[in-house]
Amino acid sequence: MNLDFSPETEAFRLKVREFFETDFPQDIIAKNRAGQALTTEDVRRSEMALGSKGWLASAWPEEYGGPGWSIEEQYVFDEELERAGVPTVTPMGVVYVGPVIYTFASDEQKKRWLPGIRNGSIGWAQGYSEPGAGSDLASLQFSAELKDGTYILNGHKIWTSAAQHADWIFLLARTSRGEKKQQGISFICCPMDAPGVTVRAIITIDGKHVLNEVLFENVEVPEGNRIGEEGKGWTYSQYLLGFERTSYARIGGKRAMLRHVRDVARAAPDGGNHHLIDEPSFARKLTEAEMAVDGLEMTVFRILSALSSGGSPGDAASTVKILATTTHQQITELMLEMTAFYAQAFGKGSSLSSDIPPYAAPDVAAYFGGRAQSIYGGTNEIQRNIIAKKVLDL
C-alpha cells in the first residue's frame, strides 16, 4: 500500500499552509495556542475567514457550495489546520447539520440555511442529550406539539456545546409515541433568540465555558422548520452521528501534541540530572502514544476510502470514535506528567508565578478537557456495543 500523497496533493498542502501562515487571523491562532477561551466574535472571525475562501464546508459536494476537494485534499486540509493551531471548526454546522440539510431537507430549507453555514456567518448548536437521555438518546422526552402549523417546544437539553455562540439549534423532539422509543422523534430547527429559550452555562473541570443547558418553555417554531418527515428524526440523527464520530480523529492536532510532548521532554529537566525523555518509562509511553496515532490514522484512511465512493461513515465510525478519544487521553496524560507539580496551580484560581513554564496551564487544561471525550458523542461503551452488534454481527 502506497501511503504517500501525490505531488499535486503536496502542492495543495503548501497552498493551505501559506494561507494559515499569512492570511488567517494570527491573533486567533495565538489565542488558541495559549489555551485561551474564544469569544463569539473570535469564533465567527475564524470560521468566516475559512468561509471567505470557500474552505469552511470542506467536505461538502460542489453542488451545495463545497470546494470539490478529493478525500486526500480534505485530509491534508484538516491536518494543516491542526498543525497551524487554527481553532477546530465548530462541527455542529458544517459537519453535523449541514449534511442532514443538503441530504434530507426541502429546497427552500437548503436555500435558507446552507449559505450561512457554508460561509461561517451563522452558528449552530446540537440539541440531543437530555438530563434523562444521554447515551440512551432514544429515551428523550423533549416534546414538540403541532398546533395549526406551529410546533410548541418544551423540554430541557443539556451538555450542549457552543450554544452560547449559536444562532440556531437543531433538536430531536418527540412528536408522537410509537411502539419503539426510536419512533415518533422528529428533527426540528429553532432560532436561539426565540422567546422561551434560556441558555445556562456549564463550567467544566478545565475551567472553560464550552457546555450549556438549554431550556425551552412554550417555544413556537413553524412547521417548516422540521427537516424531513415527521417521526423520522431518529433516522436522520443516525446519519449525522456517523459524521460526528468520524470528526473526532484530528490526526494533525494529535501529531502536534506529540511534537510538543517530545520537545518539552527533551528540554525540561525532570528534577534530576537528566531529561524526562531519558526516563525509560516516559519514553516507552511516548512511543506507544505515537504508535496509537499511527494506528488511528490507518483506520481513518480505511473509512475515507469508503467515503470516496459517496457513502457515509456508517457504523464503522464508532471505531474511530473509540480510538481517537482514548488516544487523545493517552497523549494528555503524558502532558500532565510533564507538568508534574506545576499542575497544582491550575485548579487554585491563583495567578501563576513567573517560574511556572508557559505550557503548564494549557497542558493541564487539555488533560482535564480530554476526560470528557470518551463520554460525549455516545460513550465508548456504547460504541463498543455498536461495533459488536452492527460491525462484527455478534
Side-chain angles (χ1 to χ4, degrees):
M1 181 185 297
N2 181 9
L3 297 178
D4 294 331
F5 291 110
S6 68
E8 293 79 12
T9 302
E10 290 299 337
F12 171 79
R13 180 192 299 278
L14 294 178
K15 175 184 175 182
V16 173
R17 184 173 297 180
E18 180 182 10
F19 168 74
F20 286 137
E21 290 177 349
T22 59
D23 295 336
F24 190 88
Q26 297 301 299
D27 61 313
I28 293 179
I29 290 178
K31 195 171 182 179
N32 188 53
R33 284 178 170 171
Q36 299 174 12
L38 300 181
T39 65
T40 298
E41 181 186 0
D42 293 333
V43 173
R44 287 289 175 276
R45 280 203 299 133
S46 176
E47 298 187 354
M48 290 179 70
L50 296 174
S52 67
K53 292 280 290 185
W55 289 0
L56 182 61
S58 60
W60 287 17
E62 283 187 90
E63 63 182 299
Y64 298 118
W69 291 343
S70 67
I71 293 296
E72 292 81 4
E73 288 171 329
Q74 293 172 35
Y75 183 84
V76 164
F77 173 78
D78 289 340
E79 192 174 42
E80 289 300 314
L81 181 146
E82 297 272 2
R83 187 199 68 82
V86 173
T88 302
V89 171
T90 307
M92 277 64 78
V94 293
V95 180
Y96 301 170
V97 76
V100 171
I101 292 173
Y102 66 62
T103 303
F104 300 107
S106 67
D107 288 341
E108 186 277 329
Q109 289 171 328
K110 293 174 186 177
K111 292 177 182 178
R112 189 193 336 173
W113 286 317
L114 290 183
I117 299 174
R118 187 173 56 236
N119 65 27
S121 62
I122 303 296
W124 285 75
Q126 178 187 55
Y128 275 20
S129 294
E130 299 177 14
S135 295
D136 184 14
L137 183 58
S139 296
L140 65 88
Q141 298 300 310
F142 187 99
S143 67
E145 183 181 0
L146 186 60
K147 292 183 178 179
D148 300 323
T150 298
Y151 280 112
I152 312 299
L153 308 180
N154 282 285
H156 184 181
K157 297 296 183 178
I158 199 167
W159 314 124
T160 310
S161 300
Q164 73 273 29
H165 303 310
D167 303 291
W168 285 82
I169 184 169
F170 57 94
L171 303 153
L172 288 185
R174 193 162 294 285
T175 47
S176 65
R177 301 280 174 177
E179 293 182 4
K180 295 182 178 180
K181 58 185 178 182
Q182 289 86 356
Q183 296 175 337
I185 295 173
S186 298
F187 196 105
I188 297 173
C189 301
C190 175
M192 291 294 292
D193 61 357
V197 177
T198 302
V199 178
R200 295 177 181 169
I202 298 175
I203 305 303
T204 48
I205 194 173
D206 58 356
K208 293 183 178 179
H209 176 195
V210 176
L211 302 174
N212 304 270
E213 297 178 86
V214 188
L215 290 81
F216 296 77
E217 183 176 1
N218 294 323
V219 178
E220 298 184 4
V221 298
E223 185 178 6
N225 283 18
R226 187 195 69 233
I227 292 181
E229 298 179 48
E230 185 168 274
K232 295 293 182 67
W234 186 256
T235 300
Y236 309 142
S237 75
Q238 296 309 294
Y239 179 83
L240 180 154
L241 285 172
F243 290 96
E244 175 180 357
R245 290 163 184 163
T246 308
S247 73
Y248 294 134
R250 297 173 184 167
I251 302 297
K254 289 176 174 60
R255 294 208 184 280
M257 292 165 67
L258 286 170
R259 286 193 297 271
H260 164 69
V261 170
R262 188 170 286 279
D263 289 344
V264 171
R266 283 173 173 161
D270 68 350
N273 57 8
H274 67 286
H275 296 82
L276 190 57
I277 197 68
D278 299 322
E279 170 57 48
S281 174
F282 186 88
R284 173 181 56 78
K285 288 184 283 188
L286 177 55
T287 300
E288 289 172 348
E290 290 170 335
M291 293 171 63
V293 173
D294 289 341
L296 171 62
E297 186 171 39
M298 294 303 103
T299 304
V300 171
F301 282 154
R302 285 196 294 270
I303 291 180
L304 290 180
S305 68
L307 287 174
S308 65
S309 61
S312 73
D315 297 318
S318 294
T319 305
V320 171
K321 202 276 180 177
I322 294 172
L323 293 177
T325 56
T326 55
T327 301
H328 182 275
Q329 292 174 347
Q330 189 176 357
I331 298 170
T332 57
E333 286 167 8
L334 291 174
M335 295 164 70
L336 188 69
E337 187 171 341
M338 289 192 313
T339 63
F341 61 86
Y342 296 129
Q344 297 180 41
F346 176 81
K348 293 184 177 180
S350 57
S351 59
L352 300 180
S353 61
S354 58
D355 61 340
I356 294 179
Y359 61 80
D363 284 6
V364 176
Y367 168 80
F368 283 132
R371 296 300 88 194
Q373 287 206 4
S374 51
I375 299 174
Y376 59 57
T379 68
N380 283 6
E381 290 78 10
I382 294 294
Q383 305 311 313
R384 292 185 179 96
N385 285 341
I386 293 172
I387 292 169
K389 294 178 181 178
K390 297 186 177 181
V391 180
L392 301 178
D393 194 25
L394 297 179

